[in-house]
């Protein structure tokens, strides 16, 4: 039987297959209040209808200052949770599991969204805010953050826990902590950005504390962590370090790991190509003895099946390929030998099965 279409669990949560939707920012909360709307419902529901097993939302900020842009989605208040609830219900109706990525952008917050004519930091006069980071060192091209006080770091832990509780109440069965792509948890993990001299200079401490707090707040949820396994620059995070991060998070209550790379330093030189992050996923899986999902230019069903057959990962996450074709899982099922015919095809669509 096709490995891609065998069920798998994240903790106690069973997922129908191993084709998962990677978190993809939409920057589409037009009222700048973090409340998801029609776009988010249609966007996310299309992936569930198309056959994905797990549908993870874009980064949902755990606090207002944790947003990447003023148009980011959030999960820091009850109005946002109430708006997420009908979206999670629609995902479930189509047989997929709803997941949410909990995030804080740190020094990469308060930015213009990608299609805005402006670039860089949104000024306070235009709806921006003062960013926070481990130190006052800026990401290239952005304004400088303010170094967080110890109490502000403690507040981040509390914000993640409160967001987790709201997310579960809104119907999310899987939570993912965003510790990748140069955002706050990654900023604390990398030796390039965390040069603090207090207790938070222990680079895995914030990860550990956030994971413990989220697990306590959401004991029944499947809990994932997304890591950047390489900063793609000398002196930065390596796969060996990431394996240790995974061991720390696993001991703190995490069930599964989503392995990406990059985003911390503008000097990075990424050697992108089909499946270019698979060695990172395999290294973390083997060195930390944990389950992982692979992401990064996985576009072909046979390629995705081979990722699992080779032991590089336990699941695959697709991003842009699913934007191009939300029904990719249905077509993959029809193409792969040994796939369970019709299991992800809605009855209304089966007459189109190749």
């Amino acid at each position: 039987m096709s490995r891609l279409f065998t069920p798998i669990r994240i903790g106690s949560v069973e997922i129908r297959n191993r084709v998962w939707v990677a978190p993809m920012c939409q920057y589409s909360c037009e009222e700048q209040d973090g409340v998801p709307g029609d776009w988010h419902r249609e966007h996310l529901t299309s992936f569930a209808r198309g056959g994905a097993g797990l549908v993870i939302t874009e980064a949902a900020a755990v606090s207002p200052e944790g947003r990447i842009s003023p148009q980011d989605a959030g999960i820091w208040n009850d109005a946002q949770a109430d708006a997420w609830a009908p979206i999670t219900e629609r995902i479930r109706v189509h047989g997929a599991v709803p997941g949410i990525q909990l995030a804080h952008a740190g020094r990469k917050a308060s930015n213009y969204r990608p299609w805005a004519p402006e670039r860089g930091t949104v000024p306070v006069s235009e709806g921006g805010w003062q960013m926070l980071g481990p130190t006052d060192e800026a990401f290239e091209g952005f304004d400088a953050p303010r170094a967080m006080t110890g109490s502000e770091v403690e507040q981040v832990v509390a914000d993640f826990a409160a967001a987790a509780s709201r997310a579960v109440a809104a119907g999310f069965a899987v939570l993912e902590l965003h510790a990748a792509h140069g955002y706050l948890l990654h900023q604390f993990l990398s030796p390039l950005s965390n040069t603090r001299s207090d207790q938070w200079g222990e680079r895995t401490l914030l990860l550990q504390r956030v994971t413990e707090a989220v697990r306590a707040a959401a004991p029944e949820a499947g809990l994932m962590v997304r890591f950047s396994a390489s900063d793609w620059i000398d002196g930065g995070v390596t796969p060996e370090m990431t394996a240790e991060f995974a061991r720390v998070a696993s001991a703190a209550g995490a069930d599964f790991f989503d392995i990406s790379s990059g985003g911390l330093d503008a000097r990075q030189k990424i050697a992108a190509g089909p499946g270019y992050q698979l060695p990172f996923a395999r290294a973390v899986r083997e060195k930390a003895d944990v389950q992982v999902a692979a992401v990064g230019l996985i576009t072909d069903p046979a390629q995705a099946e081979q990722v699992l057959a080779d032991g590089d990962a336990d699941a695959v996450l697709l991003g842009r390929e699913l934007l191009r074709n939300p029904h990719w899982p249905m077509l993959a099922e029809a193409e792969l030998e040994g796939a369970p015919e019709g299991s992800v095809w809605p009855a209304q669509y089966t007459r189109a099965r190749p």
Side-chain angles (χ1 to χ4, degrees):
M1 183 175 179
S2 164
R3 291 173 174 84
L4 205 58
F5 289 96
T6 56
I8 190 170
R9 289 182 177 272
I10 299 179
S12 62
V13 179
E14 183 166 305
I15 300 170
R16 61 181 173 181
N17 62 48
R18 304 177 188 223
V19 185
W20 300 350
V21 180
M24 292 177 280
C25 288
Q26 299 297 294
Y27 310 104
S28 295
C29 295
E30 300 300 342
E31 299 302 320
Q32 300 190 17
D33 56 6
V35 175
D38 291 345
W39 176 263
H40 301 85
R41 183 184 64 251
E42 295 168 13
H43 165 70
L44 294 166
T45 300
S46 70
F47 302 131
R49 187 186 64 240
L54 172 65
V55 178
I56 307 178
T57 70
E58 64 199 270
V62 301
S63 63
E65 65 273 14
R67 291 170 292 165
I68 302 168
S69 80
Q71 294 80 24
D72 274 26
I75 189 69
W76 70 79
N77 64 39
D78 291 343
Q80 294 158 353
D82 290 345
W84 282 118
I87 298 174
T88 65
E89 176 60 24
R90 295 309 302 164
I91 291 171
R92 289 181 188 277
V93 163
H94 291 293
V97 171
I100 187 170
Q101 188 183 65
L102 306 179
H104 191 300
R107 70 180 187 179
K108 292 179 75 175
S110 191
N111 283 278
Y112 290 103
R113 56 185 174 182
W115 58 85
E118 305 90 345
R119 288 289 179 269
T121 303
V122 179
V124 173
S125 61
E126 296 181 23
W129 55 92
Q130 172 64 60
M131 302 97 75
L132 302 174
T135 71
D136 61 4
E137 183 179 357
F139 185 86
E140 184 177 326
F142 298 168
D143 290 355
R146 179 171 58 77
M148 301 172 74
T149 65
S151 62
E152 286 173 328
V153 182
E154 293 280 4
Q155 184 60 50
V156 166
V157 178
D159 288 342
F160 269 93
S165 294
R166 288 192 185 94
V168 170
F172 289 104
V174 171
L175 313 178
E176 179 175 87
L177 307 181
H178 198 355
H181 299 167
Y183 298 121
L184 187 69
L185 296 184
H186 185 184
Q187 291 161 28
F188 273 85
L189 288 171
S190 178
L192 295 173
S193 49
N194 186 356
T195 56
R196 294 176 69 106
S197 58
D198 64 358
Q199 66 170 330
W200 301 106
E202 171 54 48
R203 293 183 293 107
T204 60
L205 181 59
L206 182 56
L207 170 70
Q208 176 190 337
R209 292 282 303 280
V210 167
T211 307
E212 289 171 344
V214 168
R215 173 48 75 205
E220 301 303 319
L223 182 53
M224 298 176 66
V225 183
R226 170 169 267 197
F227 289 127
S228 280
S230 174
D231 286 333
W232 294 94
I233 186 170
D234 289 344
V237 167
T238 65
E240 291 73 24
M241 290 181 191
T242 307
E244 177 57 25
F245 302 160
R247 283 189 286 266
V248 168
S250 182
D255 301 308
F256 216 102
F257 299 91
D258 167 2
I259 307 303
S260 187
S261 69
L264 183 96
D265 195 301
R267 297 170 294 172
Q268 66 188 11
K269 302 293 184 183
I270 298 178
Y276 69 103
Q277 295 179 139
L278 292 178
F280 301 145
R282 187 183 189 103
V284 174
R285 185 176 189 259
E286 293 180 346
K287 293 177 185 297
D289 191 23
V290 293
Q291 288 187 297
V292 305
V295 64
L297 295 182
I298 298 170
T299 61
D300 179 76
Q303 175 198 19
E305 181 74 11
Q306 198 63 46
V307 168
L308 306 184
D310 290 346
D312 291 323
D314 301 282
V316 296
L317 288 152
L318 276 62
R320 282 170 285 186
E321 190 65 20
L322 284 173
L323 294 182
R324 288 186 282 266
N325 180 8
H327 298 109
W328 188 97
M330 292 164 54
L331 295 175
E333 183 201 82
E335 177 178 323
L336 292 174
E337 183 177 352
E341 181 173 344
S343 68
V344 298
W345 284 73
Q348 298 91 332
Y349 285 11
T350 51
R351 61 185 171 180
R353 193 177 192 277

